[in-house]
Amino acid sequence: MKDNKLKKELLKLEELSSCYLYISTSDSVLEDRVESVKKFLKGKINFDTDFKIFSGAEEIDEEEFNNYISTPSLFSPKKIVVIKYIEKVSANLQKKVINLISSNSNGSANVIFIITASKQKFNPALLDTIRKAGKVIQLKSPLSSSLKKWLEERSESDGIKFTERAASLLIENVNLDLNLLKKEYEKLYDYISSEAKKVIDEDTVRFLVSRIYSLKIFDLVDYLGKRDKDNSLKALRSILEEGQNLIGLVTLIHRMFKCFLYIKSGNSKSSVTDYIENNIKVPPYFVGKLVSKYIKLSDNYTEDEVLKVFEILNKYDISFRINTIEGKHLVKKLISEIIDIDV
């Protein structure tokens, strides 16, 4: 976000509305906006007494919230309260926030609410109240091009260089999360700063930058598509080490083979694209890549094998839900049955 754009939204401290709601599907964009608000307020308020963040992603102590709101500000013209992920906040606290915002008239509020939400659909009464008293602002998710531009500018200023494939892999590994990109960049910079050749290649990124969990799941599904048992089991071990729930894996595998069926049935590329967009929650950047990848992977299975896989998946889906065997053992058996399928 550009600083001048934020200034247009917030103007002067004395002219602030009683609340601002920022909505985005990108957590990193919302975090970046909160940080930008803090920079805007620097020098304008006392951060020790008059700025506090509460997060709906964690359980909010309502007594602490009430004490903060009810304590008058002695050192700042305005008191700021940030509530992140308002859609996850308890119904009781949301109701209190509605009453607090309603009781403050626009332009004369002593307490200013900066609220973020990662979902479009939440308490309609809260949304209506904020619209009347303040501003609701939709923030777009970052595009791969904007992250690539940031990476190019930052690395150039630091005197290092990324190869084209290394830059693409880094952006893919962080799943278009700008904050995570910044953290992983620092890791790579610390590594390369001691090297004589200041060039980061694809192997360096693979060695130092972990793929986020959602992408590790896709790695496992990809190996299944390739009928690569050894790497499928390695990917599974990596996921199990993170203690992640495996039930969703069956759904992802099912969706890949559903795409295979679309392809083998002669349906158009647009039909596969529509199916992916409607059923797999990935950034738009990845949709085209998935379509091309599934077209290629579909050659590894015959149509009869694809149909047989659906029977296998249905069996294991039921087993997962009744928990007849420990999940990790079920997945290992599932991988073997799919890859070694014999029709």
Side-chain angles (χ1 to χ4, degrees):
M1 184 213 57
K2 302 286 186 181
D3 287 342
N4 59 356
K5 186 176 181 181
L6 180 66
K7 290 177 182 177
K8 288 180 181 178
E9 293 169 7
L10 299 184
L11 303 174
K12 297 179 181 178
L13 184 62
E14 296 76 13
E15 299 174 357
L16 291 179
S17 300
S18 60
C19 57
Y20 293 81
L21 171 62
Y22 295 101
I23 302 174
S24 177
T25 56
S26 170
D27 291 345
S28 65
V29 168
L30 294 175
E31 291 295 331
D32 189 51
R33 179 53 57 99
V34 171
E35 288 302 312
S36 296
V37 169
K38 287 174 68 175
K39 289 179 182 178
F40 167 82
L41 294 170
K42 189 176 181 180
K44 299 181 176 69
I45 65 168
N46 185 309
F47 274 85
D48 292 333
T49 60
D50 300 314
F51 182 92
K52 195 169 184 64
I53 295 177
F54 297 90
S55 176
E58 305 166 1
E59 185 176 357
I60 296 177
D61 186 327
E62 292 196 29
E63 184 177 355
E64 181 184 4
F65 178 84
N66 293 334
N67 288 340
Y68 176 74
I69 292 294
S70 60
T71 303
S73 171
L74 300 176
F75 306 102
S76 308
K78 302 283 184 180
K79 197 177 183 78
I80 310 296
V81 57
V82 177
I83 305 178
K84 299 195 293 186
Y85 305 110
I86 188 67
E87 74 279 4
K88 298 179 181 179
V89 170
S90 69
N92 183 59
L93 189 53
Q94 284 193 36
K95 185 176 181 180
K96 184 173 185 64
V97 171
I98 292 172
N99 292 334
L100 286 167
I101 294 173
S102 298
S103 66
N104 286 306
S105 59
N106 190 18
S108 61
N110 292 321
V111 178
I112 306 300
F113 288 87
I114 305 296
I115 301 173
T116 71
S118 61
K119 293 182 179 179
Q120 301 272 356
K121 297 180 181 179
F122 49 90
N123 191 332
L126 177 61
L127 184 60
D128 186 56
T129 299
I130 295 174
R131 281 177 173 154
K132 290 178 180 177
K135 294 184 178 180
V136 177
I137 301 163
Q138 298 274 352
L139 302 175
K140 294 181 179 180
S141 298
L143 299 173
S144 60
S145 58
S146 63
L147 269 68
K148 190 173 182 180
K149 182 179 180 182
W150 179 90
L151 183 60
E152 289 174 349
E153 292 176 349
R154 178 62 185 273
S155 59
E156 183 178 354
S157 67
D158 288 338
I160 64 177
K161 183 178 177 60
F162 282 77
T163 66
E164 186 69 26
R165 291 179 65 86
S168 297
L169 180 62
L170 174 58
I171 292 170
E172 181 179 311
N173 278 10
V174 300
N175 202 19
L176 301 181
D177 185 323
L178 180 58
N179 286 337
L180 186 54
L181 174 63
K182 292 177 180 179
K183 291 177 183 178
E184 296 298 344
Y185 173 85
E186 292 300 328
K187 185 192 299 182
L188 290 164
Y189 176 75
D190 289 344
Y191 168 80
I192 205 67
S193 60
S194 61
E195 299 294 314
K197 189 178 181 182
K198 309 298 185 194
V199 178
I200 297 174
D201 58 19
E202 186 178 8
D203 289 339
T204 303
V205 174
R206 289 190 186 281
F207 179 71
L208 293 176
V209 180
S210 299
R211 288 166 75 82
I212 64 171
Y213 167 68
S214 63
L215 292 178
K216 288 181 180 179
I217 284 287
F218 281 117
D219 288 342
L220 174 52
V221 175
D222 286 351
Y223 288 130
L224 281 174
K226 296 174 183 176
R227 303 187 82 148
D228 185 339
K229 184 185 291 187
D230 288 343
N231 280 319
S232 293
L233 294 174
K234 286 180 182 177
L236 174 62
R237 282 195 293 273
S238 178
I239 293 168
L240 291 174
E241 287 172 359
E242 296 183 1
Q244 299 292 343
N245 193 312
L246 293 167
I247 293 178
L249 178 62
V250 174
T251 300
L252 290 176
I253 298 172
H254 183 278
R255 289 172 180 170
M256 179 177 71
F257 281 92
K258 187 69 175 289
C259 288
F260 289 178
L261 194 58
Y262 271 118
I263 294 164
K264 292 187 175 297
S265 299
N267 284 355
S268 65
K269 184 176 180 180
S270 61
S271 297
V272 180
T273 302
D274 290 342
Y275 178 78
I276 290 174
E277 289 176 337
N278 293 330
N279 292 278
I280 304 179
K281 294 182 179 180
V282 294
Y285 169 71
F286 291 114
V287 174
K289 295 184 67 175
L290 282 176
V291 173
S292 299
K293 179 167 58 181
Y294 286 160
I295 290 174
K296 182 178 180 179
L297 293 178
S298 65
D299 290 336
N300 295 318
Y301 293 84
T302 67
E303 186 170 350
D304 287 341
E305 288 175 333
V306 171
L307 294 172
K308 182 66 175 180
V309 167
F310 289 132
E311 295 179 16
I312 295 172
L313 289 172
N314 183 59
K315 177 181 67 176
Y316 278 91
D317 185 47
I318 294 172
S319 296
F320 269 121
R321 296 182 190 284
I322 63 176
N323 197 28
T324 54
I325 310 175
E326 192 176 354
K328 61 183 180 182
H329 298 310
L330 275 175
V331 176
K332 289 178 181 178
K333 289 182 65 178
L334 171 62
I335 290 171
S336 295
E337 284 198 36
I338 291 177
I339 293 176
D340 298 333
I341 194 169
D342 183 19
V343 178

